[in-house]
Amino acid sequence: MVFVACLALGVVFVSSYLGDRQKFRGEIIQMQFDLLQGKDYVLNGRPMYLPAFQNRVLFPLALYPLALYAVTQSKLLDANDAFLLLRLLTACLALATMWWVARGISNCSPKLAAGGALLLAFSLIFTFQFAWEHPTDLLDVCFIALMTLATVQKRLLLLLGIALVAALNRESAAFAGVLWALRSWRRSIASQPRLRACCGRFVTRWMKNGACSLVKSAAPLF
């Protein structure tokens, strides 16, 4: 877990200090409180209202009491510190969930699961494409991992429960249905030899044509 915490610290450090993110953090923090009230918010100095963001209340619900305590009770912390602390906690949760799910699905060694967590942490850095932070991103990783585990374990009610909570974080909770549909589709293919053979030929042809196209497109580079 120390390894996971160190990875989480690195991810949050990059996320927090990349580009001008420090400059816009005040707007992002205020945006979390505005989301809870259904109000317009300010991004990059401009007032706006994005309907797709209105369900993203899980992080604000956790941030509000933490920031309130930091401002009213603590003499050492402020709302910015509370935001960064919660970001660190969600990063730890995401990477720890990845480690736990990898162990649960494949029964792999702790070292291999740690390698997966390292790869995830490295990959997350490349998703920080915006000038401001998206507090939903790390929780999204956690929920997708849990939904994958529930799907593999064939636990529909658990998957539904995770999706309901994940819907408070981001609209990607809808992928729970996609995961379950893919599982059912895979099972139906396995029970029909002709359909399985047809899909196999399609995938083989697709990979062959894709490889040829890739070679042709790369040829001018050499």
PDB file of all heavy atoms in Angstrom, residues 159-184:
ATOM      1  N   LEU A 159     -23.233  -5.222  -9.718  1.00  0.00           N
ATOM      2  CA  LEU A 159     -22.934  -4.326 -10.835  1.00  0.00           C
ATOM      3  C   LEU A 159     -23.929  -3.170 -10.879  1.00  0.00           C
ATOM      4  O   LEU A 159     -23.541  -2.012 -11.087  1.00  0.00           O
ATOM      5  CB  LEU A 159     -22.979  -5.103 -12.149  1.00  0.00           C
ATOM      6  CG  LEU A 159     -22.745  -4.298 -13.435  1.00  0.00           C
ATOM      7  CD1 LEU A 159     -21.342  -3.718 -13.457  1.00  0.00           C
ATOM      8  CD2 LEU A 159     -22.984  -5.171 -14.667  1.00  0.00           C
ATOM      9  N   LEU A 160     -25.198  -3.474 -10.649  1.00  0.00           N
ATOM     10  CA  LEU A 160     -26.223  -2.433 -10.656  1.00  0.00           C
ATOM     11  C   LEU A 160     -25.985  -1.434  -9.523  1.00  0.00           C
ATOM     12  O   LEU A 160     -26.103  -0.215  -9.720  1.00  0.00           O
ATOM     13  CB  LEU A 160     -27.605  -3.072 -10.521  1.00  0.00           C
ATOM     14  CG  LEU A 160     -28.795  -2.109 -10.479  1.00  0.00           C
ATOM     15  CD1 LEU A 160     -28.859  -1.277 -11.748  1.00  0.00           C
ATOM     16  CD2 LEU A 160     -30.096  -2.873 -10.278  1.00  0.00           C
ATOM     17  N   GLY A 161     -25.637  -1.946  -8.346  1.00  0.00           N
ATOM     18  CA  GLY A 161     -25.371  -1.055  -7.218  1.00  0.00           C
ATOM     19  C   GLY A 161     -24.183  -0.143  -7.472  1.00  0.00           C
ATOM     20  O   GLY A 161     -24.226   1.059  -7.166  1.00  0.00           O
ATOM     21  N   ILE A 162     -23.124  -0.706  -8.040  1.00  0.00           N
ATOM     22  CA  ILE A 162     -21.941   0.106  -8.360  1.00  0.00           C
ATOM     23  C   ILE A 162     -22.293   1.171  -9.394  1.00  0.00           C
ATOM     24  O   ILE A 162     -21.871   2.330  -9.287  1.00  0.00           O
ATOM     25  CB  ILE A 162     -20.805  -0.790  -8.878  1.00  0.00           C
ATOM     26  CG1 ILE A 162     -20.334  -1.741  -7.778  1.00  0.00           C
ATOM     27  CG2 ILE A 162     -19.629   0.050  -9.371  1.00  0.00           C
ATOM     28  CD1 ILE A 162     -19.380  -2.816  -8.262  1.00  0.00           C
ATOM     29  N   ALA A 163     -23.091   0.783 -10.393  1.00  0.00           N
ATOM     30  CA  ALA A 163     -23.475   1.734 -11.441  1.00  0.00           C
ATOM     31  C   ALA A 163     -24.307   2.881 -10.877  1.00  0.00           C
ATOM     32  O   ALA A 163     -24.152   4.039 -11.293  1.00  0.00           O
ATOM     33  CB  ALA A 163     -24.245   1.010 -12.542  1.00  0.00           C
ATOM     34  N   LEU A 164     -25.174   2.578  -9.926  1.00  0.00           N
ATOM     35  CA  LEU A 164     -26.012   3.626  -9.331  1.00  0.00           C
ATOM     36  C   LEU A 164     -25.159   4.650  -8.576  1.00  0.00           C
ATOM     37  O   LEU A 164     -25.396   5.858  -8.665  1.00  0.00           O
ATOM     38  CB  LEU A 164     -27.048   3.003  -8.396  1.00  0.00           C
ATOM     39  CG  LEU A 164     -28.171   2.209  -9.078  1.00  0.00           C
ATOM     40  CD1 LEU A 164     -29.056   1.541  -8.039  1.00  0.00           C
ATOM     41  CD2 LEU A 164     -29.000   3.117  -9.983  1.00  0.00           C
ATOM     42  N   VAL A 165     -24.173   4.161  -7.840  1.00  0.00           N
ATOM     43  CA  VAL A 165     -23.281   5.083  -7.130  1.00  0.00           C
ATOM     44  C   VAL A 165     -22.395   5.829  -8.126  1.00  0.00           C
ATOM     45  O   VAL A 165     -22.167   7.037  -7.994  1.00  0.00           O
ATOM     46  CB  VAL A 165     -22.423   4.324  -6.102  1.00  0.00           C
ATOM     47  CG1 VAL A 165     -21.459   5.280  -5.394  1.00  0.00           C
ATOM     48  CG2 VAL A 165     -23.310   3.626  -5.081  1.00  0.00           C
ATOM     49  N   ALA A 166     -21.909   5.107  -9.136  1.00  0.00           N
ATOM     50  CA  ALA A 166     -21.040   5.726 -10.141  1.00  0.00           C
ATOM     51  C   ALA A 166     -21.764   6.810 -10.923  1.00  0.00           C
ATOM     52  O   ALA A 166     -21.131   7.750 -11.423  1.00  0.00           O
ATOM     53  CB  ALA A 166     -20.508   4.660 -11.096  1.00  0.00           C
ATOM     54  N   ALA A 167     -23.089   6.702 -11.039  1.00  0.00           N
ATOM     55  CA  ALA A 167     -23.859   7.720 -11.757  1.00  0.00           C
ATOM     56  C   ALA A 167     -23.794   9.071 -11.060  1.00  0.00           C
ATOM     57  O   ALA A 167     -24.035  10.110 -11.686  1.00  0.00           O
ATOM     58  CB  ALA A 167     -25.311   7.269 -11.898  1.00  0.00           C
ATOM     59  N   LEU A 168     -23.468   9.071  -9.768  1.00  0.00           N
ATOM     60  CA  LEU A 168     -23.295  10.331  -9.045  1.00  0.00           C
ATOM     61  C   LEU A 168     -21.946  10.969  -9.343  1.00  0.00           C
ATOM     62  O   LEU A 168     -21.705  12.123  -8.965  1.00  0.00           O
ATOM     63  CB  LEU A 168     -23.415  10.097  -7.535  1.00  0.00           C
ATOM     64  CG  LEU A 168     -24.762   9.588  -7.027  1.00  0.00           C
ATOM     65  CD1 LEU A 168     -24.679   9.304  -5.542  1.00  0.00           C
ATOM     66  CD2 LEU A 168     -25.863  10.591  -7.327  1.00  0.00           C
ATOM     67  N   ASN A 169     -21.079  10.206  -9.985  1.00  0.00           N
ATOM     68  CA  ASN A 169     -19.748  10.721 -10.293  1.00  0.00           C
ATOM     69  C   ASN A 169     -19.629  11.168 -11.742  1.00  0.00           C
ATOM     70  O   ASN A 169     -19.115  12.245 -12.030  1.00  0.00           O
ATOM     71  CB  ASN A 169     -18.695   9.653 -10.000  1.00  0.00           C
ATOM     72  CG  ASN A 169     -17.290  10.123 -10.300  1.00  0.00           C
ATOM     73  OD1 ASN A 169     -16.787  11.046  -9.656  1.00  0.00           O
ATOM     74  ND2 ASN A 169     -16.638   9.506 -11.280  1.00  0.00           N
ATOM     75  N   ARG A 170     -20.103  10.305 -12.650  1.00  0.00           N
ATOM     76  CA  ARG A 170     -19.949  10.623 -14.070  1.00  0.00           C
ATOM     77  C   ARG A 170     -20.894   9.751 -14.885  1.00  0.00           C
ATOM     78  O   ARG A 170     -21.273   8.657 -14.464  1.00  0.00           O
ATOM     79  CB  ARG A 170     -18.496  10.399 -14.502  1.00  0.00           C
ATOM     80  CG  ARG A 170     -18.093  11.089 -15.789  1.00  0.00           C
ATOM     81  CD  ARG A 170     -16.575  11.174 -15.903  1.00  0.00           C
ATOM     82  NE  ARG A 170     -16.156  11.807 -17.141  1.00  0.00           N
ATOM     83  CZ  ARG A 170     -15.781  11.141 -18.228  1.00  0.00           C
ATOM     84  NH1 ARG A 170     -15.765   9.817 -18.223  1.00  0.00           N
ATOM     85  NH2 ARG A 170     -15.407  11.776 -19.312  1.00  0.00           N
ATOM     86  N   GLU A 171     -21.232  10.225 -16.072  1.00  0.00           N
ATOM     87  CA  GLU A 171     -22.172   9.505 -16.923  1.00  0.00           C
ATOM     88  C   GLU A 171     -21.590   8.220 -17.497  1.00  0.00           C
ATOM     89  O   GLU A 171     -22.316   7.418 -18.091  1.00  0.00           O
ATOM     90  CB  GLU A 171     -22.660  10.408 -18.059  1.00  0.00           C
ATOM     91  CG  GLU A 171     -21.574  11.007 -18.923  1.00  0.00           C
ATOM     92  CD  GLU A 171     -20.942  12.263 -18.326  1.00  0.00           C
ATOM     93  OE1 GLU A 171     -21.228  12.599 -17.155  1.00  0.00           O
ATOM     94  OE2 GLU A 171     -20.152  12.893 -19.033  1.00  0.00           O
ATOM     95  N   SER A 172     -20.300   7.988 -17.315  1.00  0.00           N
ATOM     96  CA  SER A 172     -19.684   6.743 -17.777  1.00  0.00           C
ATOM     97  C   SER A 172     -20.203   5.531 -17.012  1.00  0.00           C
ATOM     98  O   SER A 172     -19.884   4.396 -17.368  1.00  0.00           O
ATOM     99  CB  SER A 172     -18.162   6.815 -17.645  1.00  0.00           C
ATOM    100  OG  SER A 172     -17.789   7.106 -16.312  1.00  0.00           O
ATOM    101  N   ALA A 173     -21.018   5.749 -15.992  1.00  0.00           N
ATOM    102  CA  ALA A 173     -21.654   4.635 -15.285  1.00  0.00           C
ATOM    103  C   ALA A 173     -22.498   3.789 -16.232  1.00  0.00           C
ATOM    104  O   ALA A 173     -22.744   2.605 -15.970  1.00  0.00           O
ATOM    105  CB  ALA A 173     -22.518   5.169 -14.141  1.00  0.00           C
ATOM    106  N   ALA A 174     -22.921   4.380 -17.350  1.00  0.00           N
ATOM    107  CA  ALA A 174     -23.719   3.642 -18.331  1.00  0.00           C
ATOM    108  C   ALA A 174     -22.948   2.474 -18.933  1.00  0.00           C
ATOM    109  O   ALA A 174     -23.553   1.541 -19.483  1.00  0.00           O
ATOM    110  CB  ALA A 174     -24.187   4.585 -19.438  1.00  0.00           C
ATOM    111  N   PHE A 175     -21.620   2.496 -18.826  1.00  0.00           N
ATOM    112  CA  PHE A 175     -20.817   1.403 -19.363  1.00  0.00           C
ATOM    113  C   PHE A 175     -21.039   0.100 -18.600  1.00  0.00           C
ATOM    114  O   PHE A 175     -20.606  -0.962 -19.055  1.00  0.00           O
ATOM    115  CB  PHE A 175     -19.334   1.770 -19.350  1.00  0.00           C
ATOM    116  CG  PHE A 175     -18.921   2.596 -20.530  1.00  0.00           C
ATOM    117  CD1 PHE A 175     -18.745   3.960 -20.405  1.00  0.00           C
ATOM    118  CD2 PHE A 175     -18.721   2.013 -21.768  1.00  0.00           C
ATOM    119  CE1 PHE A 175     -18.376   4.733 -21.492  1.00  0.00           C
ATOM    120  CE2 PHE A 175     -18.354   2.774 -22.864  1.00  0.00           C
ATOM    121  CZ  PHE A 175     -18.182   4.142 -22.729  1.00  0.00           C
ATOM    122  N   ALA A 176     -21.692   0.166 -17.455  1.00  0.00           N
ATOM    123  CA  ALA A 176     -22.032  -1.066 -16.743  1.00  0.00           C
ATOM    124  C   ALA A 176     -22.902  -1.957 -17.620  1.00  0.00           C
ATOM    125  O   ALA A 176     -22.703  -3.177 -17.690  1.00  0.00           O
ATOM    126  CB  ALA A 176     -22.745  -0.739 -15.435  1.00  0.00           C
ATOM    127  N   GLY A 177     -23.865  -1.347 -18.307  1.00  0.00           N
ATOM    128  CA  GLY A 177     -24.709  -2.115 -19.217  1.00  0.00           C
ATOM    129  C   GLY A 177     -23.933  -2.669 -20.393  1.00  0.00           C
ATOM    130  O   GLY A 177     -24.191  -3.792 -20.848  1.00  0.00           O
ATOM    131  N   VAL A 178     -22.971  -1.905 -20.884  1.00  0.00           N
ATOM    132  CA  VAL A 178     -22.143  -2.368 -21.996  1.00  0.00           C
ATOM    133  C   VAL A 178     -21.311  -3.573 -21.574  1.00  0.00           C
ATOM    134  O   VAL A 178     -21.206  -4.569 -22.308  1.00  0.00           O
ATOM    135  CB  VAL A 178     -21.230  -1.232 -22.496  1.00  0.00           C
ATOM    136  CG1 VAL A 178     -20.293  -1.736 -23.589  1.00  0.00           C
ATOM    137  CG2 VAL A 178     -22.063  -0.066 -23.005  1.00  0.00           C
ATOM    138  N   LEU A 179     -20.732  -3.508 -20.384  1.00  0.00           N
ATOM    139  CA  LEU A 179     -19.914  -4.620 -19.892  1.00  0.00           C
ATOM    140  C   LEU A 179     -20.748  -5.892 -19.745  1.00  0.00           C
ATOM    141  O   LEU A 179     -20.315  -6.984 -20.136  1.00  0.00           O
ATOM    142  CB  LEU A 179     -19.282  -4.246 -18.548  1.00  0.00           C
ATOM    143  CG  LEU A 179     -18.175  -3.190 -18.585  1.00  0.00           C
ATOM    144  CD1 LEU A 179     -17.788  -2.771 -17.172  1.00  0.00           C
ATOM    145  CD2 LEU A 179     -16.955  -3.719 -19.329  1.00  0.00           C
ATOM    146  N   TRP A 180     -21.942  -5.746 -19.193  1.00  0.00           N
ATOM    147  CA  TRP A 180     -22.796  -6.925 -19.007  1.00  0.00           C
ATOM    148  C   TRP A 180     -23.267  -7.473 -20.351  1.00  0.00           C
ATOM    149  O   TRP A 180     -23.350  -8.695 -20.536  1.00  0.00           O
ATOM    150  CB  TRP A 180     -23.991  -6.571 -18.128  1.00  0.00           C
ATOM    151  CG  TRP A 180     -24.726  -7.784 -17.654  1.00  0.00           C
ATOM    152  CD1 TRP A 180     -25.866  -8.324 -18.180  1.00  0.00           C
ATOM    153  CD2 TRP A 180     -24.345  -8.637 -16.567  1.00  0.00           C
ATOM    154  NE1 TRP A 180     -26.228  -9.451 -17.487  1.00  0.00           N
ATOM    155  CE2 TRP A 180     -25.312  -9.664 -16.494  1.00  0.00           C
ATOM    156  CE3 TRP A 180     -23.297  -8.624 -15.656  1.00  0.00           C
ATOM    157  CZ2 TRP A 180     -25.251 -10.668 -15.528  1.00  0.00           C
ATOM    158  CZ3 TRP A 180     -23.234  -9.619 -14.695  1.00  0.00           C
ATOM    159  CH2 TRP A 180     -24.200 -10.626 -14.644  1.00  0.00           C
ATOM    160  N   ALA A 181     -23.553  -6.588 -21.296  1.00  0.00           N
ATOM    161  CA  ALA A 181     -23.973  -7.033 -22.626  1.00  0.00           C
ATOM    162  C   ALA A 181     -22.848  -7.782 -23.331  1.00  0.00           C
ATOM    163  O   ALA A 181     -23.081  -8.805 -23.990  1.00  0.00           O
ATOM    164  CB  ALA A 181     -24.418  -5.830 -23.461  1.00  0.00           C
ATOM    165  N   LEU A 182     -21.623  -7.295 -23.194  1.00  0.00           N
ATOM    166  CA  LEU A 182     -20.482  -7.975 -23.805  1.00  0.00           C
ATOM    167  C   LEU A 182     -20.280  -9.355 -23.194  1.00  0.00           C
ATOM    168  O   LEU A 182     -19.941 -10.312 -23.893  1.00  0.00           O
ATOM    169  CB  LEU A 182     -19.218  -7.131 -23.634  1.00  0.00           C
ATOM    170  CG  LEU A 182     -19.140  -5.864 -24.490  1.00  0.00           C
ATOM    171  CD1 LEU A 182     -17.910  -5.051 -24.114  1.00  0.00           C
ATOM    172  CD2 LEU A 182     -19.112  -6.215 -25.972  1.00  0.00           C
ATOM    173  N   ARG A 183     -20.492  -9.452 -21.889  1.00  0.00           N
ATOM    174  CA  ARG A 183     -20.369 -10.757 -21.234  1.00  0.00           C
ATOM    175  C   ARG A 183     -21.416 -11.730 -21.776  1.00  0.00           C
ATOM    176  O   ARG A 183     -21.111 -12.886 -22.088  1.00  0.00           O
ATOM    177  CB  ARG A 183     -20.532 -10.594 -19.728  1.00  0.00           C
ATOM    178  CG  ARG A 183     -20.602 -11.914 -18.975  1.00  0.00           C
ATOM    179  CD  ARG A 183     -21.055 -11.730 -17.540  1.00  0.00           C
ATOM    180  NE  ARG A 183     -21.362 -13.012 -16.946  1.00  0.00           N
ATOM    181  CZ  ARG A 183     -22.538 -13.619 -17.070  1.00  0.00           C
ATOM    182  NH1 ARG A 183     -23.497 -13.042 -17.769  1.00  0.00           N
ATOM    183  NH2 ARG A 183     -22.742 -14.788 -16.506  1.00  0.00           N
ATOM    184  N   SER A 184     -22.660 -11.260 -21.913  1.00  0.00           N
ATOM    185  CA  SER A 184     -23.728 -12.116 -22.432  1.00  0.00           C
ATOM    186  C   SER A 184     -23.465 -12.489 -23.883  1.00  0.00           C
ATOM    187  O   SER A 184     -23.713 -13.621 -24.306  1.00  0.00           O
ATOM    188  CB  SER A 184     -25.076 -11.396 -22.300  1.00  0.00           C
ATOM    189  OG  SER A 184     -25.330 -11.047 -20.951  1.00  0.00           O
TER     190      SER A 184
END
